């Protein structure tokens, strides 16, 4: 039973480009969460999704960031027109029932140059 | 607004001794507290949790204590082992779907 799979592990983008981060939850998990960890900081909640629905996006920046979790395929976190301040580690987690028992992926480290 | 705080960025302990990691919070609505362990280049791994209606939860070498009046919790690891060296994050939930994380404490267990 594979864990939460995130890809790519490392992503380098130039300022102004788009970044797409993918997350495949654990088998049987239909709840996905995205967190961001800026350097020297803890993880900050961004968005909580179930299949085809955004449940809570209170942690998402209002512009340039979007997330989806389609019926088929992985969850996608999309960052348009990236800026240097978007450089961070982005972690995805999943759970079977929306409870606190998250399983985290290994993260995607985004570097904006 | 950092609702969960870990004021010690690092801690060094001799192998076999007790490690005590501390965490303070400000939101009295938090109903569940968790500790996660993180190795470099990996995601956080759930370690142990405690409900706000309890004051202690034990799992093997790991014990979490909760002092609600002080809004403080701690993680005790005894005896500490070199494999425990990692960053430990305290997290809390306020009945919703998201967790609030502290900034982490890097534990180094010296052989």
């Amino acid at each position: 039973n594979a864990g939460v799979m995130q890809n790519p592990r490392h992503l380098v983008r130039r300022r102004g480009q788009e970044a797409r981060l993918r997350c495949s939850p654990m088998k049987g998990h239909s709840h996905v969460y995205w967190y961001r960890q800026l350097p020297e900081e803890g993880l900050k909640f961004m968005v909580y999704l179930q299949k085809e629905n955004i449940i809570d996006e209170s942690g998402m920046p209002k512009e340039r960031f979007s997330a989806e979790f389609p019926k088929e395929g992985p969850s996608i976190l999309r960052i348009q027109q990236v800026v240097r301040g978007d450089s961070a580690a982005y972690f995805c987690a999943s759970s079977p029932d929306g409870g606190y028992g998250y399983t985290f992926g290994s993260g995607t480290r985004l570097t904006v140059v | 607004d950092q609702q969960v705080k870990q004021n010690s960025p690092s801690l060094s302990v001799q192998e076999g001794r007790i490690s005590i990691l501390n965490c303070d919070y400000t939101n009295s609505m938090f109903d569940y507290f968790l500790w996660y362990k993180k190795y470099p280049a990996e995601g956080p791994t759930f370690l142990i949790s405690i409900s706000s209606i309890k004051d202690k939860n034990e799992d093997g070498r790991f014990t979490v204590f909760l002092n609600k009046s002080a809004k403080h919790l701690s993680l005790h690891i005894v005896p500490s082992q070199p494999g425990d060296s990692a960053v430990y994050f305290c997290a809390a939930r306020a009945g919703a779907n998201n967790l609030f994380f502290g900034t982490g404490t890097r534990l180094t267990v010296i052989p």
Side-chain angles (χ1 to χ4, degrees):
Chain A
N1 186 13
V4 178
M5 305 299 293
Q6 289 188 249
N7 67 81
R9 290 295 302 270
H10 300 276
L11 181 62
V12 180
R13 284 287 177 266
R14 294 187 182 280
R15 279 180 295 171
Q17 291 185 319
E18 178 180 287
R20 279 183 179 243
L21 290 65
R22 296 176 193 78
C23 169
S24 296
M26 286 186 70
K27 187 176 181 180
H29 287 194
S30 58
H31 300 251
V32 166
Y33 312 81
W34 285 93
Y35 284 78
R36 174 167 67 172
Q37 184 181 20
L38 295 168
E40 307 302 323
E41 293 188 18
L43 285 78
K44 294 282 199 295
F45 169 77
M46 299 183 75
V47 63
Y48 162 43
L49 310 102
Q50 294 181 32
K51 285 284 188 182
E52 300 183 277
N53 287 304
I54 297 174
I55 307 302
D56 181 353
E57 56 181 348
S58 58
M60 287 276 272
K62 292 291 184 280
E63 298 178 349
R64 302 188 297 107
F65 285 72
S66 62
E68 63 177 10
F69 188 16
K71 187 176 180 181
E72 301 290 338
S75 175
I76 305 287
L77 179 66
R78 182 182 178 207
I79 311 172
Q80 295 178 291
Q81 299 174 350
V82 296
V83 301
R84 288 239 171 95
D86 297 333
S87 295
Y90 292 81
F91 291 96
C92 168
S94 71
S95 76
D97 54 8
Y100 62 85
Y102 291 5
T103 300
F104 279 90
S106 297
T108 293
R109 276 145 191 87
L110 171 66
T111 302
V112 179
V113 297
Chain B
D1 179 25
Q2 190 70 27
Q3 298 188 48
V4 178
K5 299 177 183 177
Q6 293 176 259
N7 293 318
S8 298
S10 63
L11 174 68
S12 291
V13 172
Q14 288 288 138
E15 181 179 4
R17 307 295 285 267
I18 185 170
S19 296
I20 300 176
L21 295 96
N22 293 304
C23 177
D24 297 293
Y25 62 94
T26 57
N27 188 344
S28 57
M29 298 301 291
F30 286 144
D31 63 348
Y32 224 97
F33 303 89
L34 306 91
W35 284 94
Y36 282 84
K37 177 179 178 179
K38 185 180 181 303
Y39 292 117
E42 294 185 14
T45 302
F46 170 74
L47 194 57
I48 192 169
S49 64
I50 188 168
S51 165
S52 61
I53 62 174
K54 296 190 174 182
D55 55 19
K56 177 182 175 181
N57 187 28
E58 189 172 353
D59 183 2
R61 297 185 298 113
F62 302 91
T63 303
V64 56
F65 294 93
L66 175 63
N67 182 335
K68 285 186 66 178
S69 61
K71 293 193 176 66
H72 177 84
L73 67 156
S74 60
L75 174 68
H76 292 210
I77 307 172
V78 55
S80 301
Q81 299 174 354
D84 296 330
S85 296
V87 177
Y88 289 79
F89 289 97
C90 171
R93 188 189 76 170
N97 305 301
N98 54 305
L99 297 176
F100 293 85
F101 282 83
T103 51
T105 297
R106 181 179 303 278
L107 173 65
T108 303
V109 180
I110 303 164

